[in-house]
Amino acid sequence: INVALTRRNIEIPGFTVCTSPEAAAELAKTAQKAMVIGGGSIYDQLLPYCTGAFITKVHTTIPCDTFLPNLDQDPAWELQQILSEGTEDGVDYQICRYERIK
């Protein structure tokens, strides 16, 4: 099931549309797995409902205007595992798994 979170009450073929983060989080409870793919606003709205996070850390500075909170500095989150690391196009990266501390 694909869920689109939008403020507009519209139909999107192939998606269940939710107009609030609460509705999307409630729908996610019925899924075996739920993943948030967003933009910055979506991450900000849904991160409080998440119990885990897969974060790709890119070890370079890229001009941008949207940032995910630094989970390493948030006492509610703990790094569980570095799943993968490497270099692509000269840029070092790590794919990390975090869990919310209960």
Side-chain angles (χ1 to χ4, degrees), residues 4-13 15-20 23:
L5 179 59
T6 178
R7 292 183 185 111
R8 300 180 352 207
N9 191 8
I10 60 174
E11 288 188 26
I12 303 173
F15 286 81
T16 298
V17 174
C18 291
T19 56
S20 72

Side-chain angles (χ1 to χ4, degrees), residues 30-94:
T30 66
Q32 186 176 2
K33 277 187 183 178
M35 305 292 274
V36 175
I37 302 170
S41 174
I42 299 299
Y43 293 135
D44 287 342
Q45 293 177 68
L46 291 176
L47 189 60
Y49 297 98
C50 294
T51 58
F54 293 95
I55 304 294
T56 301
K57 296 180 181 183
V58 181
H59 301 289
T60 190
T61 302
I62 300 171
C64 61
D65 62 358
T66 304
F67 300 90
L68 182 68
N70 186 339
L71 299 185
D72 290 320
Q73 296 177 354
D74 187 332
W77 291 90
E78 185 175 78
L79 175 63
Q80 295 294 310
Q81 183 179 14
I82 296 174
L83 299 169
S84 176
E85 52 190 328
T87 302
E88 188 169 321
D89 295 328
V91 177
D92 294 333
Y93 69 90
Q94 293 177 311

